[in-house]
């Protein structure tokens, strides 16, 4: 939805804010789990709180998030006319007369009330060839997965996910055991380190990569390529490696638990940064093949 609502030059900032703020909020809420448990004196209290948050999110998403589906009209591009069918097939014509229509004009504006009524429809949607459109998605997904760029990015994402899972499955046992023997309330504070790592992705990954990609696009005559997003992967990969090395060293040598917190924050920075960079690259790749 964010991709549909933004222009290409805005997406780096918007997607980095989305992943950064979302990761920070979720980790900060997890850090409060022991407090919720001690307040309700039962594990069910946690689910009561989550239910209220989920219900609020559902209502807000349903009424405030716009529907981004739209019919694509014929489009003039590079001296030709591009027509995209409901099954995502693109046909190129030399002239507007070949498709039997005059040059497309924007639709007349409608009122906000009419727009909201149309968005909130559940039944009776006027979407031609909806089943054909749905069926066209799966071959496209398969072709995208077989592309070398997407394939290796998926492998990188899988490694990053494995790394964060290794942290999540081990830090609790490590910090609750000697020589640390921390209370559960203090162990939960490690999620605040993850929240800080998530917040750091916006100024570092978002703003820095926007500057890099803009510079590379300027050198390329103002046109962005998928390759311009590859430098954004360098910092997350290095940070993720250093985080796992520091975590393993701190666990083996029984260093101060602050190093474990630092390693976890670095790992979360790497994890969220990689997800942000994948969003950049996949968007640019999709725009190039369409």
């Amino acid at each position: 939805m964010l991709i549909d609502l933004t222009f290409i030059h805005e997406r780096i900032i918007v997607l980095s804010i989305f992943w950064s703020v979302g990761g920070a909020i979720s980790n900060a809420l997890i850090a409060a789990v022991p407090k919720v448990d001690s307040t309700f004196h039962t594990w069910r209290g946690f689910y009561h709180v989550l239910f209220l948050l989920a219900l609020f999110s559902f209502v807000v998403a349903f009424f405030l998030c716009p529907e981004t589906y739209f019919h694509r009209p014929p489009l003039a591009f590079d001296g030709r006319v591009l027509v995209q069918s409901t099954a995502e097939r693109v046909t190129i014509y030399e002239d507007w007369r070949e498709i039997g229509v005059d040059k497309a004009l924007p639709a007349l504006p409608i009122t906000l009330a009419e727009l909201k009524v149309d968005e909130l429809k559940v039944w009776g949607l006027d979407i031609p060839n909806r089943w054909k459109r749905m069926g066209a998605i799966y071959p496209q997904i398969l072709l995208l997965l077989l592309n070398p760029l997407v394939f290796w990015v998926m492998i990188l994402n899988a490694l990053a996910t494995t790394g964060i899972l290794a942290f999540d499955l081990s830090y609790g046992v490590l910090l609750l055991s000697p020589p640390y023997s921390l209370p559960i309330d203090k162990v939960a504070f490690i999620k605040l380190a993850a929240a800080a790592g998530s917040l750091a992705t916006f100024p570092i990954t978002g703003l820095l990569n926007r500057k890099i990609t803009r510079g590379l696009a300027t050198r390329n005559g103002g046109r962005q390529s998928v390759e311009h997003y590859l430098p954004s992967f360098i910092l997350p990969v290095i940070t993720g490696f250093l985080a796992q090395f520091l975590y393993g060293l701190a666990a083996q040598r029984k260093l101060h638990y602050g190093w474990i917190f630092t390693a976890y924050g670095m790992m979360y920075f790497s994890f969220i940064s990689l997800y942000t960079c994948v969003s950049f690259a996949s968007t640019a790749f999709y725009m190039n093949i369409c």
Side-chain angles (χ1 to χ4, degrees), residues 241-258:
F241 169 78
L242 292 177
Q244 295 191 55
F245 178 79
L246 178 60
Y247 181 72
L249 183 66
Q252 184 182 33
R253 301 292 179 86
K254 305 301 181 183
L255 302 180
H256 190 272
Y257 64 84

Side-chain angles (χ1 to χ4, degrees), residues 164-186:
I164 202 70
L165 284 175
F167 272 74
D168 284 333
L169 293 174
S170 59
Y171 76 79
V173 176
L174 180 64
L175 294 176
L176 289 171
S177 304
Y180 305 110
S181 302
L182 297 179
I184 190 65
D185 291 357
K186 202 166 187 178

Side-chain angles (χ1 to χ4, degrees), residues 109-262:
I110 61 177
T111 65
L112 181 61
E114 291 173 329
L115 181 64
K116 280 298 176 186
V117 169
D118 188 58
E119 284 180 357
L120 297 178
K121 279 185 178 179
V122 178
W123 304 106
L125 294 174
D126 183 21
I127 304 177
N129 299 324
R130 65 185 70 183
W131 294 107
K132 190 175 181 180
R133 284 183 62 89
M134 185 189 74
I137 292 174
Y138 301 103
Q140 290 185 18
I141 293 175
L142 180 61
L143 290 174
L144 286 173
L145 294 180
L146 295 177
N147 183 279
L149 175 62
V150 176
F151 177 79
W152 290 111
V153 168
M154 285 175 54
I155 297 297
L156 179 61
N157 236 22
L159 291 174
T161 305
T162 304
I164 202 70
L165 284 175
F167 272 74
D168 284 333
L169 293 174
S170 59
Y171 76 79
V173 176
L174 180 64
L175 294 176
L176 289 171
S177 304
Y180 305 110
S181 302
L182 297 179
I184 190 65
D185 291 357
K186 202 166 187 178
V187 172
F189 287 157
I190 195 172
K191 285 297 181 179
L192 296 181
S198 296
L199 285 177
T201 60
F202 169 63
I204 298 176
T205 303
L207 299 179
L208 178 63
N209 287 330
R210 183 180 67 167
K211 187 174 182 180
I212 292 173
T213 54
R214 181 174 293 180
L216 292 174
T218 302
R219 292 173 56 185
N220 195 36
R223 182 173 179 176
Q224 282 191 345
S225 305
V226 182
E227 291 77 11
H228 294 166
Y229 293 88
L230 292 179
S232 62
F233 288 90
I234 296 175
L235 185 60
V237 170
I238 294 176
T239 307
F241 169 78
L242 292 177
Q244 295 191 55
F245 178 79
L246 178 60
Y247 181 72
L249 183 66
Q252 184 182 33
R253 301 292 179 86
K254 305 301 181 183
L255 302 180
H256 190 272
Y257 64 84
W259 290 108
I260 298 176
F261 280 44
T262 301

Side-chain angles (χ1 to χ4, degrees), residues 32-49:
V33 169
K35 295 296 183 183
V36 173
D37 183 67
S38 62
T39 301
F40 287 90
H41 303 291
T42 173
W43 57 268
R44 290 185 175 87
F46 181 64
Y47 291 95
H48 292 158
V49 174

